[in-house]
Amino acid sequence: MASFVIEGGHRLNGEIHPQGAKNEVLQIICATLLTKEEVTVNHIPDILDVNNLIQLMREMGVDVAKTGVDSYTFKAENIDLAYLESEEFLKKCSSLRGSVMLIGPMIARFGKALISKPGGDKIGRRRLDTHLVGIQNLGADFRYDEERGVYEITAEKLRGAYMLLDEASVTGTANIVMAAVLAKGTTTIYNAACEPYLQQLCRMLNRMGAKISGIASNLLTIEGVEELHGTEHRVLPDMIEVGSFIGMAAMTGSEITIKNVSYENLGIIPESFRRLGIKLEQRGDDIYVPAQDSYQIESFIDGSIMTIADAPWPGLTPDLLSVMLVVATQAKGSVLIHQKMFESRLFFVDKLIDMGAQIILCDPHRAVVIGHNHGFRLRGARLTSPDIRAGIALLIAAMSAEGTSTISNIEQIDRGYQNIEGRLNAIGARITRI
């Protein structure tokens, strides 16, 4: 088990480039199964979750080649269908959350999919109903083998259908879209997720020959086609990492420039940090964050306490609430952080309280943060990363703290952040991997 040792109190200065978006690339790689032809994907981050999925694709029979520093080609011409029913395949799926998005492409192209209950972050219940019911609406049958913990989905021929999703699930929408592009007839998905990652997937599929309209809205219409073709695709910068860097700059009083952020795809993220009093400027496609000695949380117009809550796009992504909570600990003022979508993501706040933060955990979904206004620095501590996003939030806290901190279980951070200590050390951080 690896750990980070962080010497707190060092300011950052310089430029940093965000990696490719983890949540997008997992969908894109799964979508390469929909064609026999070669698909090139650029700006792929070198992170654990993505590397594990790429290796799984190789073992499934996909011809994978690394063609550049962050570029790969995928050719799913000769898939080993027997391997897809093996215990080895199912075991690997169980440790990789992104494997759930293999269901749509496999059922669309091969008429059968077996997948074990996927793993990932320990952030509470993450149900698969939207995925399975949506694909069932297209004509698939599924059964759950409780003893093996395996979903078995079969379909002779998928047929288009109208469906109103019970939740705007990003991965659920992606799975249904990937199944529907090869279904016979027209599929209409209402209450579809419309995150930039989903938009990117739909645009790539259209370049491959799919017929998807309504992209960027919550109403998608998909006319099924007989087959898809190869294409080339570039992954967006990771908006969660962009937000993490903004938070780091604020907490450490640093001046940094975040390069090539695809600002138009950040949505409400910059404005959400401004609500915490953080200054930032758009400079072309970069974000400049000036050094600030203090930042004051806004109030609502009626003077009531600021509430920051997650919501489906174009609302604030839940993946950034952990970062915003940490940033608020050194702001002037108070804020209510309301994590609506996952019930266990706020449990890491006890670690921040041990570091000296003033936080009231109201329930599994809500925490009130009373900012120190940099009048009291957090104390270094021994910490454990429970999930990817809490892990980066704890890293930010440790970078701003007085003294030395140790974060164990950093494999959770590695799942979502590429060479994070190397990139941060290059602009002034003091982080050692042991």
Side-chain angles (χ1 to χ4, degrees):
M1 296 279 284
S3 301
F4 280 148
V5 177
I6 304 102
E7 190 179 305
H10 294 282
R11 294 197 176 203
L12 311 178
N13 186 269
E15 298 180 348
I16 193 161
H17 293 257
Q19 67 188 27
K22 166 187 175 283
N23 290 344
E24 176 188 338
V25 78
L26 295 174
Q27 299 176 22
I28 296 298
I29 290 172
C30 292
T32 65
L33 287 170
L34 286 165
T35 178
K36 296 178 181 178
E37 297 182 16
E38 188 174 272
V39 177
T40 300
V41 185
N42 303 308
H43 203 208
I44 292 181
D46 181 11
I47 56 177
L48 210 54
D49 272 11
V50 171
N51 294 339
N52 286 343
L53 181 59
I54 290 173
Q55 183 57 32
L56 184 62
M57 297 287 279
R58 285 193 177 104
E59 290 164 6
M60 291 168 64
V62 179
D63 185 5
V64 181
K66 188 171 184 179
T67 57
V69 175
D70 59 4
S71 298
Y72 286 80
T73 59
F74 300 86
K75 192 172 184 182
E77 188 173 16
N78 300 303
I79 300 299
D80 182 354
L81 297 178
Y83 177 73
L84 301 184
E85 299 189 27
S86 69
E87 289 300 322
E88 182 186 350
F89 171 74
L90 295 169
K91 185 178 179 183
K92 289 188 174 179
C93 288
S94 69
S95 63
L96 180 61
R97 180 72 193 178
S99 65
V100 71
M101 286 178 290
L102 294 170
I103 296 174
M106 290 196 300
I107 198 71
R109 189 159 158 216
F110 307 114
K112 186 173 184 179
L114 262 75
I115 197 155
S116 54
K117 209 168 183 178
D121 287 324
K122 306 305 179 191
I123 55 176
R125 186 175 56 92
R126 303 174 77 181
R127 60 192 181 86
L128 297 178
D129 300 52
T130 305
H131 301 249
L132 300 176
V133 172
I135 291 171
Q136 191 176 30
N137 286 337
L138 297 174
D141 295 315
F142 78 91
R143 66 181 187 87
Y144 178 59
D145 185 334
E146 197 165 336
E147 190 174 321
R148 295 172 71 201
V150 171
Y151 294 95
E152 182 175 346
I153 305 103
T154 56
E156 286 186 19
K157 180 63 181 175
L158 296 177
R159 296 188 178 277
Y162 170 85
M163 61 188 83
L164 173 59
L165 304 188
D166 66 333
E167 63 170 351
S169 163
V170 178
T171 52
T173 303
N175 238 338
I176 298 164
V177 166
M178 288 188 282
V181 290
L182 294 180
K184 186 176 178 60
T186 300
T187 299
T188 303
I189 309 172
Y190 201 11
N191 196 29
C194 52
E195 272 77 353
Y197 307 140
L198 207 286
Q199 298 173 35
Q200 285 279 96
L201 172 67
C202 291
R203 291 188 182 108
M204 185 186 90
L205 291 172
N206 278 352
R207 290 196 302 275
M208 294 168 70
K211 295 180 179 178
I212 306 170
S213 58
I215 298 172
S217 79
N218 69 348
L219 180 61
L220 294 175
T221 303
I222 304 157
E223 293 178 45
V225 297
E226 287 296 320
E227 62 178 3
L228 298 181
H229 312 289
T231 191
E232 184 164 354
H233 180 80
R234 182 172 178 81
V235 177
L236 286 174
D238 195 312
M239 68 170 77
I240 314 304
E241 198 173 66
V242 171
S244 300
F245 294 150
I246 294 170
M248 281 177 194
M251 281 288 280
T252 57
S254 302
E255 176 187 358
I256 67 169
T257 299
I258 310 166
K259 301 291 289 183
N260 304 319
V261 299
S262 188
Y263 198 94
E264 65 181 14
N265 286 300
L266 294 178
I268 202 172
I269 290 170
E271 187 56 36
S272 298
F273 280 101
R274 289 190 183 103
R275 282 183 156 189
L276 293 179
I278 297 166
K279 295 174 184 173
L280 52 95
E281 300 172 22
Q282 180 184 1
R283 295 183 173 179
D285 203 31
D286 304 339
I287 289 179
Y288 170 71
V289 187
Q292 288 181 252
D293 291 330
S294 66
Y295 45 96
Q296 182 164 352
I297 298 169
E298 294 179 1
S299 298
F300 284 119
I301 292 171
D302 64 0
S304 58
I305 186 171
M306 175 60 62
T307 299
I308 293 180
D310 57 345
W313 191 268
L316 181 64
T317 171
D319 285 350
L320 270 177
L321 280 190
S322 299
V323 170
M324 301 194 82
L325 187 150
V326 166
V327 172
T329 65
Q330 289 299 333
K332 182 180 181 182
S334 302
V335 64
L336 172 66
I337 302 291
H338 192 170
Q339 168 64 267
K340 297 177 181 178
M341 297 170 78
F342 301 106
E343 65 251 5
S344 303
R345 252 195 177 156
L346 294 182
F347 288 157
F348 80 102
V349 302
D350 61 339
K351 318 264 193 323
L352 298 175
I353 293 169
D354 289 343
M355 296 175 79
Q358 291 190 305
I359 304 170
I360 302 164
L361 185 60
C362 308
D363 55 44
H365 293 277
R366 296 176 302 160
V368 175
V369 184
I370 299 136
H372 287 306
N373 191 24
H374 288 288
F376 173 84
R377 282 175 60 188
L378 300 179
R379 299 181 295 268
R382 298 191 68 85
L383 308 164
T384 301
S385 172
D387 65 76
I388 299 175
R389 308 309 175 187
I392 203 70
L394 292 174
L395 180 61
I396 294 170
M399 288 168 66
S400 74
E402 195 168 46
T404 300
S405 299
T406 302
I407 302 177
S408 58
N409 196 30
I410 60 168
E411 288 79 8
Q412 287 286 1
I413 300 174
D414 290 338
R415 285 180 48 219
Y417 293 85
Q418 173 179 315
N419 183 28
I420 190 66
E421 76 276 21
R423 289 188 292 150
L424 293 176
N425 287 343
I427 58 171
R430 299 280 179 86
I431 306 168
T432 305
R433 179 183 292 261
I434 59 171

